[in-house]
């Protein structure tokens, strides 16, 4: 019971020592309260706590549980994190097809990290057919939104002439 967004914010404050003494255990306690009420942001944050062992014992399966709850509620960062778990085998058996499905959902909501990860999957044919043009589209969107990893990769693609791009040293240096 209580106002879940405020509980989530308080949990983040305790986790990061914002306005209060850092207390990760107390932070995850507040995140749990908000997540149990169905607040997707708290579900994602709590999942990350379990993934990293911040304020709780590391439990990657529990991380996946909370990411999945947030993902099913339509929360893009949860969808991205769940996709990444399926891509890399964090807390679940690797499943590239499921990873791409979740990354597509998050990318479709405009999440730059998901766009960059989806681009890499498409470029390498992970979880489906290789599609360099679609990979380039997602990579350019992510880079345009300021995703540092995507900017770096786009620069490499221009440098190497990869991903259906011609070699262009000037554009490579721009990214």
């Amino acid at each position: 019971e209580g106002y879940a967004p405020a509980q989530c914010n308080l949990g983040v404050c305790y986790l990061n020592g914002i306005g209060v003494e850092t207390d990760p255990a107390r932070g995850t306690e507040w995140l749990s309260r908000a997540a149990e009420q169905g607040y997707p942001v708290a579900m994602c944050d709590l999942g990350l706590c379990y993934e990293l062992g911040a304020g709780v014992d590391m439990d990657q399966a529990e991380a996946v549980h909370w990411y999945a709850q947030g993902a099913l509620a339509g929360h893009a960062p949860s969808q991205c994190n769940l996709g990444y778990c399926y891509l890399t085998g964090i807390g679940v058996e690797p499943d590239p097809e499921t990873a791409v499905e979740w990354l597509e959902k998050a990318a479709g909501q405009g999440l730059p990290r998901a766009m960059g990860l989806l681009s890499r999957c498409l470029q390498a044919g992970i979880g489906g057919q290789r599609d360099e043009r679609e990979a380039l589209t997602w990579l350019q969107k992510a880079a345009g939104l300021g995703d540092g990893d995507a900017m770096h990769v786009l620069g490499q693609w221009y440098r190497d002439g990869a991903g259906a791009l011609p070699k262009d040293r000037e554009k490579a240096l721009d990214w």
Side-chain angles (χ1 to χ4, degrees), residues 3-158:
Y3 185 60
Q7 292 171 333
C8 179
N9 289 343
L10 186 56
V12 170
C13 289
Y14 276 112
L15 283 168
N16 297 300
I18 301 170
V20 294
E21 194 73 30
T22 301
D23 187 342
R26 198 162 185 194
T28 55
E29 184 180 309
W30 282 107
L31 289 177
S32 292
R33 291 179 187 186
E36 291 291 344
Q37 291 184 68
Y39 188 57
V41 175
M43 293 172 180
C44 187
D45 289 350
L46 187 58
L48 186 60
C49 288
Y50 277 106
E51 182 180 343
L52 302 177
V56 291
D57 290 335
M58 184 184 292
D59 185 338
Q60 294 178 335
E62 189 70 8
V64 169
H65 165 78
W66 286 111
Y67 290 150
Q69 295 302 306
L72 291 170
H75 185 246
S78 295
Q79 293 169 338
C80 182
N81 289 357
L82 184 61
Y84 186 76
C85 287
Y86 277 108
L87 187 63
T88 60
I90 294 173
V92 292
E93 286 295 316
D95 183 340
E97 291 81 14
T98 300
V100 168
E101 288 175 20
W102 285 113
L103 292 172
E104 285 174 338
K105 290 175 191 282
Q109 291 190 63
L111 191 67
R113 178 174 177 249
M115 293 174 184
L117 290 168
L118 179 58
S119 172
R120 289 180 182 194
C121 290
L122 291 165
Q123 197 271 339
I126 296 170
Q129 265 194 312
R130 188 171 186 205
D131 187 338
E132 285 195 345
R133 291 204 185 281
E134 187 71 11
L136 177 59
T137 298
W138 284 113
L139 184 63
Q140 288 172 323
K141 286 180 182 181
L145 291 170
D147 182 78
D149 289 336
M151 295 165 81
H152 177 78
V153 171
L154 186 57
Q156 289 177 322
W157 283 21
Y158 274 114

